[in-house]
Amino acid sequence: MRHSHILPEFMYQNLYDTSPKRFYTLNVDLDNSDNSKRKIEQKGIREYLLCGDCEVQLSKYENYAAETIYAKNLGNKATIKKANETPDQQYFTYEYEGFSYSDFKLFLLSLLWRVIISKSFNTPEVDEKVVEQLRLAVHNQDPLDFDDFGCLLQVIKYKKEQIAGGFILDPFLTKNDNSPILNILIDGFMYSFYLNSKQLPSDNKDFFLKKDGTMVILGRVLFTDKGLFERIKAAFDFFKTTKK
């Protein structure tokens, strides 16, 4: 087994302090702050998780996501064909085209799988059948259908031009009437994976990556989501009491 990244290194690019180079991981207990913990990291979090061949396989999807979503090496092939915002500038939609369905969907599935099985993240327990379905999809390089483990990708902002970046929030579960949702906020990007997305009404799947390479990314101002705001505020309040 290799000492593998749980999250790709490019996802940490805005988290590091410059001198010394380091970042902080926070495990915040919303119910009892005495259980909250902080740790200083020099590199992106790793575990003995993947074989060499698997790392090579996943690196292809990571490189694609780095170029497409994070504009690394100016290699983005997906483009915004339409953007809208509400009059109060609280919600934004970005309609993309040009994604490689297979490459980006496999990146999303591999990200979800690694976060679930990782011992480093405080991820809520997920059914073993779900974990095995994800493992097989990643291993077999099978992106599955567009509504298998559909991901709502959101850009979380403090205000219109300011992304709520610079930190990673531990994975947490929410749910709607049809599916549990595993959420992880990474440097301003909220990945919300619907673990039972096949059961969603069709209009609830509009934001998922489609096989024709289109995807709608949602932008929203943090303060419109009380639950998320409280999680982030608790993390920052704890961080301020521990950083020296």
Side-chain angles (χ1 to χ4, degrees):
M1 289 290 184
R2 297 288 185 87
H3 205 207
S4 309
H5 280 105
I6 307 304
L7 304 180
E9 183 63 28
F10 70 82
M11 287 184 153
Y12 294 94
Q13 62 188 8
N14 296 323
L15 273 63
Y16 288 110
D17 289 342
T18 53
S19 182
K21 185 180 179 182
R22 64 183 182 180
F23 70 95
Y24 300 85
T25 58
L26 303 177
N27 185 346
V28 177
D29 188 327
L30 294 179
D31 298 318
N32 185 354
S33 60
D34 290 339
N35 294 331
S36 297
K37 300 176 182 178
R38 183 202 76 166
K39 187 177 179 182
I40 296 174
E41 306 280 0
Q42 255 74 51
K43 291 184 178 181
I45 297 169
R46 303 181 185 203
E47 293 179 19
Y48 290 100
L49 186 67
L50 302 173
C51 69
D53 289 343
C54 293
E55 284 204 335
V56 171
Q57 177 182 318
L58 295 189
S59 68
K60 172 187 174 184
Y61 312 130
E62 293 175 357
N63 289 338
Y64 180 81
E67 293 179 345
T68 303
I69 296 297
Y70 291 79
K72 186 177 179 181
N73 301 327
L74 302 178
N76 186 9
K77 294 181 175 61
T79 57
I80 298 175
K81 65 177 181 179
K82 187 177 182 182
N84 294 297
E85 64 182 52
T86 56
D88 60 3
Q89 296 187 337
Q90 300 296 296
Y91 293 92
F92 313 84
T93 57
Y94 309 97
E95 298 180 25
Y96 276 82
E97 61 183 2
F99 276 103
S100 164
Y101 176 78
S102 179
D103 287 347
F104 195 59
K105 183 65 183 283
L106 282 165
F107 166 75
L108 293 172
L109 294 175
S110 70
L111 181 67
L112 174 59
W113 175 64
R114 282 178 284 180
V115 166
I116 290 174
I117 66 172
S118 167
K119 294 180 175 62
S120 300
F121 286 97
N122 189 31
T123 304
E125 188 173 346
V126 173
D127 190 292
E128 284 297 324
K129 292 180 180 178
V130 169
V131 179
E132 180 62 7
Q133 187 179 357
L134 286 165
R135 186 191 71 80
L136 288 173
V138 173
H139 177 74
N140 296 330
Q141 302 183 60
D142 178 3
L144 305 178
D145 289 335
F146 88 96
D147 57 356
D148 284 313
F149 304 108
C151 180
L152 168 61
L153 181 53
Q154 304 167 77
V155 181
I156 307 299
K157 304 183 178 188
Y158 293 123
K159 55 186 178 180
K160 181 179 178 180
E161 303 296 338
Q162 185 181 7
I163 292 178
F167 61 94
I168 295 175
L169 200 61
D170 250 349
F172 62 96
L173 275 176
T174 54
K175 60 182 179 180
N176 64 13
D177 293 336
N178 302 98
S179 175
I181 308 164
L182 185 64
N183 308 274
I184 180 168
L185 180 62
I186 305 171
D187 192 26
F189 288 86
M190 175 79 91
Y191 295 82
S192 297
F193 292 97
Y194 287 73
L195 302 182
N196 195 17
S197 53
K198 283 283 191 188
Q199 304 304 316
L200 296 175
S202 58
D203 59 347
N204 287 10
K205 303 176 184 180
D206 290 345
F207 289 90
F208 297 163
L209 174 67
K210 303 296 194 303
K211 289 189 174 183
D212 64 359
T214 60
M215 183 179 187
V216 179
I217 295 178
L218 176 67
R220 60 189 174 98
V221 173
L222 169 63
F223 308 106
T224 62
D225 186 330
K226 181 180 178 182
L228 180 59
F229 172 74
E230 288 177 351
R231 286 179 182 275
I232 292 176
K233 183 178 184 301
F236 272 108
D237 288 347
F238 173 69
F239 182 61
K240 285 188 294 185
T241 65
T242 61
K243 188 174 183 182
K244 296 180 179 180

